[in-house]
């Protein structure tokens, strides 16, 4: 298996720039594949139901392994290592997100150009799985915050790589008429996976090793099942006309928004929406503990009840939104509706001090997140530039819209929580999240032109 990363011709920047293809200001002559048919993939064959089922299962597993530590396990371990230091969780999460910002585009670009008998995507899925599994003992046995941060960085990089590779497979293989439905299915699994994971680890909340190991074990089994059965075409025959220089690799982390305006507007809208979302998800455990006056380890039971109740709304939002957007041929109304529902849920949660009100806010949140995420993902696939040659690269750039908020939003959230005197100001935090999320959905609705 080979990945070309150097340029034996020794060309300087001027020469390299001279052979950059029109519309792509980053990579010199990516892999030469068949040109995209009219309609951005309209001629692609449908993916089988069996392959979709295994894809959804693998997404479920990777999502559980990636999100449960962020949503619950890290807070429990942090409460043991540094009781009362809520702001430290934001720092731990931010460091992990910063690492993925650097590595996610790299793995996407290299997988676009990978020549191996196992295809372009599968090797990176395996690498991500192995790194994610290795993070479990580091987090569970961490003696201090530094070790915990290192463990979380390994976890988010590993499982993030595996999940992104699954997303690249979708970009490679799904025809337009399946994108909304499959995005809905994978979207609902990403909503349900942490719910199931939190319910499971709730039974072992006093056994730290299992709290981290159980989600990772389930994730590994389901991802391996996908890898073992679903075909990824042999890419050894792929022709790469020019090797990838280090300079071109660095430039490929960006793109010219003038060449792909709808991709750019969708990216910015997603960035704003996920900035709002990350403000809330980073501190959920501490929020519930404060509002219901519970110990941090005891939050698992409440989260299990609230999250289990949200499975119905998450399913309705993901499957209903994705299916309807395919059926009616429109994406933007569902994206705006999802953003509005999430904003409403945050507004309710901002003033919630009892379990019933918290549940109402959570149900609205889950319905909004699911609707927005599923349809925005389908819209992303619709406007993805240079799909045939550089799907991995642009999917990685799209992932920035979610990962950059993961770097600054937890830190910003810690600052917002410190506003005023006394207990953490979760009211201000959730109202800010509501405003950002709605603004993101509105921006996509008003600015994207090529998709209705």
């Amino acid at each position: 298996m080979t990945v070309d990363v150097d340029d034996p011709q020794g060309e300087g920047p001027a020469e390299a720039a001279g052979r950059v293809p029109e519309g792509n200001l980053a990579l010199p002559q990516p892999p030469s594949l068949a040109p995209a048919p009219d309609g951005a993939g309209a001629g692609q064959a449908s993916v089988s139901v069996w392959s979709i089922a295994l894809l959804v299962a693998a997404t479920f597993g990777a999502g559980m392994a990636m999100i449960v530590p962020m949503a619950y396990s890290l807070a429990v371990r942090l409460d043991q290592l540094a009781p009362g230091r809520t702001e430290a969780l934001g720092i731990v999460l931010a460091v992990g997100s910063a690492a993925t910002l650097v590595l996610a585009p790299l793995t996407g670009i290299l997988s676009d150009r990978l020549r191996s008998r196992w295809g372009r995507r599968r090797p990176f899925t395996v690498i991500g799985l192995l790194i994610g599994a290795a993070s479990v003992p580091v987090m569970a046995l961490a003696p201090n915050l530094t070790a915990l941060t290192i463990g979380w960085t390994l976890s988010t990089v590993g499982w993030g790589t595996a999940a992104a590779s699954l997303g690249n497979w979708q970009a490679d293989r799904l025809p337009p008429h399946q994108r909304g439905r499959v995005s809905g299915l994978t979207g609902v699994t990403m909503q349900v996976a942490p719910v199931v994971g939190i319910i499971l680890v709730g039974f072992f909340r006093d056994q730290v090793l299992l709290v981290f190991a159980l989600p990772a074990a389930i994730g590994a089994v389901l991802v391996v099942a996908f890898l073992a059965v679903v075909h990824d075409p042999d890419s050894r025959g792929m022709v790469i006309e020019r090797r990838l220089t280090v300079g071109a690799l660095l430039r490929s982390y960006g793109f010219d928004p003038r060449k792909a305006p709808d991709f750019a507007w969708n990216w910015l809208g997603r960035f704003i929406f996920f900035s709002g979302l990350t403000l809330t998800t980073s501190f959920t455990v501490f929020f519930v503990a404060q509002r219901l006056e519970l110990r941090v380890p005891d939050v698992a039971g409440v989260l299990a009840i609230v999250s289990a109740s949200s499975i119905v709304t998450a399913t309705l939002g993901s499957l209903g939104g994705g299916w309807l957007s395919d059926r009616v041929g429109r994406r933007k109304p569902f994206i705006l509706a999802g953003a509005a529902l999430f904003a409403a849920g945050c507004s309710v949660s901002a003033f919630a001090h009892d379990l019933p009100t918290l549940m109402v806010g959570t149900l609205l949140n889950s319905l909004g997140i699911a609707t927005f995420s599923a349809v925005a993902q389908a819209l992303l696939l619709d406007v993805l530039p240079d799909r045939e040659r550089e799907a991995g690269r642009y999917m990685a750039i799209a992932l920035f819209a979610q990962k950059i908020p993961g770097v600054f939003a937890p830190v910003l959230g810690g600052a917002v929580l410190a506003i005023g005197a006394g207990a953490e100001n979760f009211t201000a935090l959730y109202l800010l999240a509501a405003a950002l999320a709605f603004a993101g959905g509105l921006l996509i609705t008003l600015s994207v032109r090529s998709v209705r």
Side-chain angles (χ1 to χ4, degrees):
M1 124 177 122
T2 61
V3 180
D4 296 299
V5 294
D6 59 344
D7 189 346
Q9 300 179 27
E11 295 178 336
E15 291 83 359
R19 52 181 172 78
V20 174
E22 180 67 17
N24 178 355
L25 302 182
L27 294 184
Q29 295 293 340
S32 176
L33 298 174
D38 293 340
Q44 290 177 270
S46 297
V47 175
S48 70
V49 173
W50 179 236
S51 294
I52 290 174
L54 288 171
L55 170 69
V56 171
T59 303
F60 177 92
M64 178 183 294
M66 182 168 53
I67 300 174
V68 170
M70 179 177 67
Y72 177 73
S73 310
L74 282 174
V76 172
R77 189 69 180 126
L78 179 65
D79 190 57
Q80 295 173 341
L81 294 173
R85 291 191 57 189
T86 304
E87 77 288 348
L89 179 61
I91 297 172
V92 173
L93 294 175
V95 172
S97 293
T100 61
L101 280 179
V102 176
L103 294 176
L106 178 62
T107 57
I109 294 161
L110 294 180
S111 72
D112 281 338
R113 305 170 64 87
L114 180 65
R115 293 181 293 193
S116 81
R117 63 180 295 183
W118 300 286
R120 296 190 295 170
R121 312 304 182 188
R122 187 180 300 180
F124 285 90
T125 311
V126 173
I127 292 170
L129 188 155
L130 294 175
I131 295 174
S135 72
V136 170
V138 180
M139 291 188 291
L141 304 177
N144 51 50
L145 291 181
T146 300
L148 185 64
T149 303
I150 293 171
W152 168 244
T153 301
L154 290 173
S155 178
T156 190
V157 166
W159 290 112
T161 298
S165 186
L166 295 173
N168 292 339
W169 186 91
Q170 293 180 62
D172 292 339
R173 302 293 296 276
L174 289 178
H177 67 273
Q178 286 187 306
R179 290 172 192 161
R181 299 169 199 177
V182 175
S183 294
L185 287 169
T186 56
V188 75
T189 62
M190 293 299 285
Q191 297 292 317
V192 174
V195 175
V196 175
I198 290 172
I199 291 173
L200 291 176
V201 301
F203 293 110
F204 308 98
R205 61 180 181 271
D206 294 323
Q207 301 179 49
V208 176
L209 182 59
L210 284 178
V211 166
F212 285 100
L214 189 58
I218 293 172
V221 169
L222 294 178
V223 171
V224 167
F226 174 83
L227 293 171
V229 176
V230 178
H231 179 59
D232 195 9
D234 189 324
S235 60
R236 287 176 294 181
M238 181 173 60
V239 176
I240 301 176
E241 297 178 7
R242 290 290 186 270
R243 293 173 182 260
L244 180 62
T245 66
V246 174
L249 179 62
L250 294 176
R251 290 193 300 274
S252 68
Y253 277 59
F255 72 101
D256 186 347
R258 296 171 298 179
K259 301 294 184 180
D262 283 346
F263 178 80
W265 284 119
N266 184 53
W267 189 97
L268 183 59
R270 287 162 61 92
F271 170 81
I272 297 172
F273 178 90
F274 284 108
S275 295
L277 174 60
T278 307
L279 283 175
T280 63
T281 56
S282 300
F283 300 96
T284 299
V285 172
F286 294 112
F287 168 64
V288 174
Q290 185 213 76
R291 292 300 173 92
L292 299 185
E293 300 180 355
L294 296 172
R295 295 188 313 120
V296 169
D298 294 336
V299 169
V302 176
L303 287 182
I305 295 171
V306 175
S307 300
S309 302
S310 70
I311 290 178
V312 174
T313 50
T315 303
L316 178 63
S318 291
L319 298 185
W323 181 82
L324 282 173
S325 71
D326 276 351
R327 185 66 180 266
V328 303
R330 298 177 70 89
R331 309 286 193 207
K332 294 192 291 186
F334 297 96
I335 288 175
L336 183 60
L341 286 167
F342 177 78
C346 286
S347 299
V348 172
S349 297
F351 301 99
H353 290 274
D354 55 69
L355 183 57
T357 309
L358 281 177
M359 290 188 66
V360 171
T362 300
L363 293 176
L364 287 171
N365 278 345
S366 68
L367 180 60
I369 294 169
T371 303
F372 179 92
S373 298
V375 184
Q377 180 72 9
L379 188 146
L380 168 63
L381 296 178
D382 290 338
V383 301
L384 197 69
D386 206 0
R387 178 189 315 281
E388 293 296 317
R389 298 184 301 176
E390 297 187 280
R393 174 196 167 206
Y394 280 102
M395 290 294 285
I397 291 173
L399 191 63
F400 278 173
Q402 295 173 240
K403 292 300 182 181
I404 293 177
V407 175
F408 76 84
V411 179
L412 173 62
V416 174
L417 290 174
I419 295 174
E424 291 93 346
N425 194 342
F426 283 105
T427 300
L429 184 74
Y430 273 75
L431 290 177
L432 176 59
L436 288 172
F438 184 73
L442 184 63
L443 181 65
I444 293 174
T445 304
L446 297 178
S447 302
V448 173
R449 300 298 184 187
S450 64
V451 180
R452 293 190 300 166

